[in-house]
Amino acid sequence: MPKKPVRNAFYFYMLDYKEEQRQKGINYSNLAAVADAAGPLWRDAPPSVRTKYDEIAKKHRQKTNFTDQKFTSTGIPISVIEQNEREAKEAEEQEIQDIKNLVKLRGFNNTAKTLDIYVMDVNCYCKTGSDYIIGESTLLRFNVEEGIRDTYHEIINPGVIPVGYAYDMKLSCKEFGLEMPDECSKKSNYMQILANIIDYLKQQDRTSKVLPPIFTMPDKVAPVQNFIHQLCRRVAEDENQFRIYKLDTLFFTLINTLKTRADEGFPKESLALLQLKKDPFKYSPGIGCEHHEENDKSVECTLSRVKRWSYTVLDACCPVAGVTARPACHVPPDYDLESIQVYQEQKRGRVAPSVGGYEFNLSSCNSSLLSDSFLDTTSNITTDSSRREKRVHVPLRMPKADYSQAIRLAPELTEEEFPSLGGSRIGRGRGLGGSLPKLKTEK
């Protein structure tokens, strides 16, 4: 069905102009001729005339229910897209402000390092429509002073496999170390899982009606939020009481609140996200659940993942807050903190390099950019009083095989073992030996 043309104010002005000219005896064959004649008059028309025809066009649009909405190629109104973008921007600004209020209010009375932070992660089988099918979830609580306090880990059996998604779920099981949903086994109790999550979030203050926010990585915000909303829909619970925020925003705000010097913390929020993505504790043993440890998939375990995120935040915030790190609380249990502290003290005690006879001190930012080998080589360029011995490189191993015994001396050769060069011709050419007697060597 063809789209109706827009009936604007000029259209109704042309109709009146055409009628006036017809009464005068001037007839136009079509509206194109009327537009050519009425166009100059419409451009010079006073505002009162334009307002009159604007009102006529507005009433006509309301009467015919015609809207001036623009659509995309897929039929989605552009106004809806713009509205969603505005809402997303407002939600992001509200999230940043909420995190600042949560952390900086504790910073005024120096209690930011005792603030309990809740971190959550999920493993998804697949996504069907707008919902994620979750197979594993973990919720963890920690603070800077005490480290990791406790965790709530759950392996979830969603029951029925959606039609057409068996292969996707099989690939996810292989990737994340999960078991295929068993339709014969008992399905997980989602009501109990939601009750456990609410009790876990309220264990710090059960009298408060507002639940603390849950933090996760930016790419996990949508799955975690959808998982919580699915639980709420199944038991008719209010889903607006849960707040799912980005962990990198909290990391950036927390360390900058705890810092006491200008060279500490992160100048940009993107550096906090970069530090979390580095995952320095990725291959720490013994921090996953029993199921993933047996299957050698501890790296993909949600319990291991939330612990590694927490260790990364604590590893950066503890020195800034003046908190002594403890194994299994602030760092993995197998970390030798004494050796690390000795190495850090030795690194701080290295003499700074001198340029042109003038020594300068390295700030924390500059020292992080210099490698250890550079500091070792430049530490020799010091004054006489602080001169160090030159480093001697000793090979790691000596060669086991002695090849000198296998070397044989070359045999002595005599003139009899070489054939004579004269008296023979090969092919059509002449040998060198045949031409030597003909040479006149005498003067």
Side-chain angles (χ1 to χ4, degrees), residues 115-133:
L115 172 65
D116 282 343
I117 300 169
Y118 295 87
V119 184
M120 190 173 186
D121 185 36
V122 294
N123 274 337
C124 309
Y125 282 114
C126 62
K127 184 179 180 182
T128 58
S130 59
D131 289 338
Y132 294 85
I133 300 180

Side-chain angles (χ1 to χ4, degrees), residues 88-383:
K89 186 176 180 180
E90 291 174 0
E92 185 177 359
E93 293 176 353
Q94 183 179 357
E95 174 184 344
I96 295 174
Q97 189 62 39
D98 197 6
I99 293 175
K100 287 182 179 180
N101 295 337
L102 178 68
V103 177
K104 292 194 173 182
L105 287 177
R106 292 293 196 102
F108 291 137
N109 52 6
N110 296 325
T111 59
K113 58 185 179 181
T114 60
L115 172 65
D116 282 343
I117 300 169
Y118 295 87
V119 184
M120 190 173 186
D121 185 36
V122 294
N123 274 337
C124 309
Y125 282 114
C126 62
K127 184 179 180 182
T128 58
S130 59
D131 289 338
Y132 294 85
I133 300 180
I134 306 300
E136 182 187 14
S137 69
T138 303
L139 191 59
L140 178 144
R141 179 170 62 128
F142 77 94
N143 59 48
V144 176
E145 185 173 0
E146 301 179 25
I148 296 178
R149 303 184 64 181
D150 44 43
T151 59
Y152 167 57
H153 177 257
E154 191 78 35
I155 298 290
I156 301 173
N157 179 23
V160 181
I161 300 176
V163 178
Y165 290 92
Y167 182 70
D168 295 338
M169 298 184 76
K170 186 176 180 180
L171 293 179
S172 299
C173 290
K174 184 178 180 180
E175 180 182 359
F176 300 117
L178 301 174
E179 298 291 339
M180 284 291 288
D182 190 358
E183 300 180 1
C184 300
S185 301
K186 185 178 179 181
K187 188 178 179 181
S188 297
N189 189 347
Y190 288 92
M191 181 181 293
Q192 185 63 43
I193 293 174
L194 180 62
N196 294 339
I197 291 176
I198 294 176
D199 290 342
Y200 190 85
L201 295 174
K202 284 187 174 182
Q203 59 183 328
Q204 184 181 7
D205 186 6
R206 297 189 177 275
T207 60
S208 177
K209 296 182 179 180
V210 180
L211 296 178
I214 299 174
F215 296 92
T216 186
M217 292 291 284
D219 58 332
K220 290 298 186 75
V221 170
V224 170
Q225 193 169 22
N226 181 258
F227 175 59
I228 296 294
H229 290 177
Q230 286 186 58
L231 297 178
C232 293
R233 289 198 301 266
R234 291 174 184 267
V235 299
E237 187 72 24
D238 184 17
E239 60 188 30
N240 294 323
Q241 61 180 326
F242 293 93
R243 293 171 292 171
I244 313 299
Y245 291 160
K246 293 184 293 185
L247 182 61
D248 55 321
T249 305
L250 171 76
F251 188 15
F252 170 76
T253 308
L254 179 62
I255 194 171
N256 287 336
T257 302
L258 294 172
K259 71 177 184 179
T260 56
R261 299 186 307 180
D263 57 349
E264 295 176 336
F266 296 118
K268 293 183 179 180
E269 186 175 338
S270 59
L271 297 178
L273 178 60
L274 180 63
Q275 184 66 20
L276 288 169
K277 286 185 175 181
K278 284 182 179 179
D279 203 357
F281 302 95
K282 185 174 183 178
Y283 297 103
S284 300
I287 59 176
C289 68
E290 183 179 355
H291 169 76
H292 284 87
E293 290 288 345
E294 292 178 354
N295 298 330
D296 197 19
K297 280 286 187 179
S298 176
V299 174
E300 303 298 338
C301 178
T302 57
L303 180 61
S304 170
R305 207 176 286 134
V306 293
K307 285 184 178 180
R308 299 197 311 258
W309 296 344
S310 304
Y311 288 147
T312 303
V313 175
L314 292 170
D315 184 56
C317 291
C318 284
V320 175
V323 176
T324 303
R326 293 177 297 165
C329 295
H330 300 90
V331 292
D334 63 332
Y335 264 57
D336 187 3
L337 294 177
E338 295 183 358
S339 300
I340 295 175
Q341 291 174 357
V342 169
Y343 171 75
Q344 290 177 349
E345 291 296 334
Q346 292 176 352
K347 190 174 181 180
R348 291 194 193 99
R350 288 174 179 162
V351 180
S354 60
V355 179
Y358 296 94
E359 295 184 358
F360 61 93
N361 295 325
L362 290 174
S363 64
S364 61
C365 296
N366 293 332
S367 61
S368 62
L369 298 176
L370 297 177
S371 62
D372 296 340
S373 60
F374 179 77
L375 290 175
D376 290 337
T377 54
T378 54
S379 61
N380 295 327
I381 312 174
T382 58
T383 58

Side-chain angles (χ1 to χ4, degrees), residues 394-404:
V394 181
L396 297 179
R397 63 178 180 84
M398 296 295 293
K400 297 180 180 179
D402 187 7
Y403 297 99
S404 61

Side-chain angles (χ1 to χ4, degrees), residues 1-5:
M1 186 176 182
K3 193 174 181 180
K4 294 182 179 180

